[in-house]
Amino acid sequence: MPLFEPLKPVSPRSRLVLGASFFALFFLAWAGFTLSGIIPPLFLADPLTTLKTGVTLFTEFNFLRDIGITVWRVVGGFVAAALIAVPLGVAMGAFKPVEAFLEPFVSFCRYLPASAFIPLLILWAGVGEAQKLSVIFIGSVFQIILMVAVIVGATRRDLVEAAYTLGADGGGIVKRVLLPGAAPQIAETLRLVLGWAWTYVIVAELVGSSSGIGHMIMDSQRLLDTGQMIFGILCIGVIGLVSDLLFKWLNQRMYPWAF
Amino acid sequence: MSKLLIEGVSRVFPGVGGGAPTQALQPTDLTVEDNDFITILGPSGCGKSTLLRIVAGLDRPTTGRVLLDGQPVSRPGPDRGMVFQSYTLFPWLTVRENICFGLREKALPEARQKEIADYFIAQTGLAGFERHYPKMLSGGMQQRTALARALANDPKMLLLDEPFGALDNQTRALMQELLLGIWEADRKTVIFVTHDIDEAIFMANRVAVMSARPGRIKAIVEVDLPHPRHYTMKTTPEFSRYKAQLTEEIRAESIKAAQMEG
Ligand SMILES: Nc1ncnc2c1ncn2[C@@H]1O[C@H](COP(=O)(O)OP(=O)(O)O)[C@@H](O)[C@H]1O
Ligand SMILES: [Mg+2]
């Protein structure tokens, strides 16, 4: 049996082993380059130093609070965006006049980079939480609207027709065909956008902020502490990975018919 | 009392990308009586689906009209149940929930829904599969569920568009007997579209033969075979006579259809 057969699935065990081994390789390479002195600590701390500074971050600098604040900002901005964007996206996907009305404007807004709004948002909302949440909101809301509209619009026509012949009216089609049919993909879209929200929050925290993971990374730069910077970045990665896995698990639990 | 009147119904589809419009259906007349089982037989592309979709209200005729009990048909409704050739079960609903879709739409009480669903689950041989999702079912099982879903709504008539067309021969033969058994029990009006001559004869009281595209109904053949029908009927001399007759009718049309495509 050849090792590389197109589209052939791998067993869950090998999947886990393969995924973990890349992490292992990555850390080995990192340790190799830094501990051997090929890369000086000023540019890149070695894994052990990174771990040690990480521990002091938690014990002496209350890093857990920074993490909590950042998580809250991501979740807050993202949930607000989802609450507004999903209904709008569904309305656009279901009703073509709504789509014709909103789609051009939303498409335009989608290309406005959220980070470019930071200076303006600081002017409008100061450097407080409202500004951080707005960056995430602006970065997520238009993306979600458009993707949800596409998903809902791509509902199988034959299912809609079948529902009509079973006596459904317009409202029934939306509630009982478009929504349940699109739900798993909408959930997957939210999972994707949540990942992007993480990148926006750090950018927002790099500018005019006194707390959060991004602020800690900024502070470390002043102290030239590459260990702290890398630890902060790794933390974001780990939180992102965990939330992604949770989201995925939840989706599979909620929509067993789709997976 | 006549139930369904198709009067001068034709359909022209607008051309794609500035091309010439397609006439899918020539003006067609057909009367379907109460308790009739009529099959519409014709080569592929002759407009069978177009005609059935117009009766269902899923498409509008370019000319003519469809009357159901004297009322013009303009939109789909639960009085005309439909089973499509493609699998159209709702993937997010179980077999039972699919069957209850129309009943929930009518807001029947749960207990009544369950009672009706149970009846049709038993009648279509789906017992034991109630909690399965469609993706876990074979094609035959999916079409049984689609049939049960349409029947559960208690429509005035059933519209079937090559419902067994994607099934293998053995399953298809079983499904034919199943549907015929259901019809023999309560004689619901059925319009059944097919391109299969055996199927058209075996199921029907009358076979409406359509001409090649643009289609129209060129002949109606009464099938005077006794009920209940059993699969062994397909090998009787009477059956063969009908088959010979319809084969002649269809052959001419298939040749025309092939020439048009060539
Ligand atoms: N929505 C449509 N737009 C344009 N042409 C169509 C459409 N639907 C069907 N047709 C054309 O009409 C003809 C009849 O189609 P159809 O009714 O599906 O035939 P059948 O069911 O007998 O195979 C075909 O030539 C087909 O290409
Ligand atoms: Mg067809």
Side-chain angles (χ1 to χ4, degrees):
Chain A
M1 195 63 88
L3 190 54
F4 292 105
E5 203 176 312
L7 303 183
K8 186 174 179 272
V10 306
S11 73
R13 228 183 91 85
S14 345
R15 176 173 291 277
L16 202 70
V17 170
L18 283 171
S21 53
F22 192 89
F23 271 99
L25 272 180
F26 175 81
F27 278 98
L28 274 179
W30 178 15
F33 279 112
T34 47
L35 291 174
S36 64
I38 296 177
I39 300 179
L42 182 61
F43 289 111
L44 188 63
D46 63 71
L48 288 177
T49 318
T50 303
L51 203 65
K52 258 183 277 171
T53 43
V55 172
T56 38
L57 269 178
F58 279 112
T59 53
E60 286 168 34
F61 297 96
N62 200 6
F63 188 46
L64 211 53
R65 185 172 164 274
D66 283 310
I67 292 183
I69 285 173
T70 302
V71 169
W72 136 250
R73 285 169 181 159
V74 173
V75 173
F78 172 77
V79 167
L83 283 180
I84 294 192
V86 171
L88 265 178
V90 170
M92 276 170 66
F95 304 108
K96 296 306 149 190
V98 179
E99 185 178 67
F101 182 58
L102 292 177
E103 211 248 9
F105 181 75
V106 176
S107 295
F108 162 73
C109 290
R110 176 159 76 130
Y111 286 101
L112 306 177
S115 41
F117 275 89
I118 293 176
L120 256 184
L121 287 172
I122 292 179
L123 208 62
W124 293 340
V127 292
E129 291 308 299
Q131 175 253 336
K132 306 288 180 295
L133 294 175
S134 317
V135 173
I136 313 249
F137 181 86
I138 293 176
S140 315
V141 73
F142 303 112
Q143 311 280 357
I144 302 179
I145 292 177
L146 285 180
M147 288 199 279
V148 169
V150 168
I151 292 167
V152 172
T155 304
R156 279 170 55 191
R157 290 292 177 277
D158 54 351
L159 295 186
V160 173
E161 291 186 340
Y164 272 126
T165 66
L166 291 167
D169 55 6
I173 297 289
V174 173
K175 271 202 306 259
R176 299 189 60 204
V177 182
L178 301 190
L179 276 180
Q185 275 175 282
I186 291 178
E188 282 294 294
T189 296
L190 292 177
R191 184 167 75 88
L192 192 73
V193 175
L194 181 62
W196 299 345
W198 270 96
T199 60
Y200 302 134
V201 77
I202 300 304
V203 175
E205 287 179 349
L206 290 178
V207 185
S209 176
S210 55
S211 59
I213 303 177
H215 167 254
M216 187 284 287
I217 294 176
M218 229 26 214
D219 256 9
S220 319
Q221 191 203 18
R222 244 168 271 144
L223 306 170
L224 295 179
D225 190 333
T226 51
Q228 281 191 17
M229 286 191 243
I230 293 182
F231 188 79
I233 294 170
L234 289 182
C235 274
I236 298 167
V238 169
I239 298 170
L241 185 68
V242 170
S243 71
D244 201 68
L245 287 176
L246 267 178
F247 219 127
K248 211 176 197 168
W249 176 81
L250 201 70
N251 287 354
Q252 286 175 358
R253 284 293 301 269
M254 280 175 63
Y255 309 110
W257 57 270
F259 293 96
Chain B
M1 185 188 80
S2 97
K3 245 193 153 174
L4 185 82
L5 273 172
I6 297 172
E7 294 182 342
V9 164
S10 75
R11 181 70 167 104
V12 178
F13 288 108
V16 184
T22 314
Q23 172 127 37
L25 199 61
Q26 293 184 52
T28 298
D29 299 297
L30 183 67
T31 306
V32 183
E33 306 286 338
D34 224 357
N35 306 335
D36 203 355
F37 196 130
I38 186 162
T39 52
I40 297 180
L41 174 67
S44 117
C46 74
K48 304 182 294 295
S49 295
T50 303
L51 180 60
L52 202 67
R53 289 171 56 80
I54 289 172
V55 173
L58 294 170
D59 195 4
R60 305 298 307 272
T62 307
T63 66
R65 59 181 188 159
V66 176
L67 295 174
L68 179 58
D69 289 337
Q71 296 299 315
V73 160
S74 61
R75 50 168 62 221
D79 52 350
R80 282 148 293 140
M82 182 133 176
V83 177
F84 301 79
Q85 176 174 5
S86 64
Y87 301 127
T88 57
L89 296 182
F90 304 111
W92 55 90
L93 300 179
T94 62
V95 165
R96 176 184 291 281
E97 290 164 342
N98 263 287
I99 295 173
C100 288
F101 188 95
L103 306 175
R104 255 188 79 182
E105 203 58 45
K106 286 185 196 160
L108 288 193
E110 292 280 337
R112 182 82 188 110
Q113 287 187 29
K114 181 168 184 316
E115 199 180 317
I116 295 172
D118 281 339
Y119 176 78
F120 287 103
I121 284 168
Q123 197 179 32
T124 51
L126 285 166
F129 292 91
E130 295 93 331
R131 295 150 75 91
H132 283 53
Y133 284 105
K135 71 167 180 188
M136 308 167 174
L137 299 177
S138 66
M141 282 294 182
Q142 293 202 38
Q143 290 306 68
R144 279 170 201 251
T145 311
L147 191 59
R149 182 176 71 175
L151 286 167
N153 239 6
D154 193 23
K156 285 183 190 165
M157 55 173 29
L158 264 186
L159 310 175
L160 308 169
D161 191 358
E162 309 204 29
F164 313 141
L167 305 179
D168 62 84
N169 273 329
Q170 284 71 26
T171 313
R172 166 187 274 243
L174 286 177
M175 293 291 289
Q176 289 170 357
E177 286 195 302
L178 175 82
L179 176 60
L180 211 48
I182 291 172
W183 182 82
E184 281 158 358
D186 65 16
R187 308 247 157 179
K188 195 171 283 295
T189 313
V190 176
I191 305 181
F192 186 111
V193 161
T194 179
H195 65 258
D196 181 301
I197 296 176
D198 282 38
E199 185 169 70
I201 304 166
F202 184 62
M203 309 296 292
N205 295 338
R206 296 190 295 152
V207 180
V209 183
M210 285 185 75
S211 67
R213 199 186 78 196
R216 66 188 166 77
I217 292 174
K218 62 170 247 179
I220 291 192
V221 176
E222 302 270 343
V223 180
D224 204 4
L225 296 171
H227 285 279
R229 293 180 189 170
H230 190 243
Y231 72 95
T232 48
M233 178 166 274
K234 291 182 185 173
T235 50
T236 60
E238 293 86 356
F239 193 93
S240 304
R241 259 201 305 281
Y242 284 116
K243 190 166 173 180
Q245 181 187 355
L246 286 170
T247 306
E248 270 317 302
E249 299 269 13
I250 279 292
R251 210 180 108 80
E253 300 308 327
S254 306
I255 290 171
K256 272 193 242 163
Q259 279 167 348
M260 273 193 304
E261 272 167 32

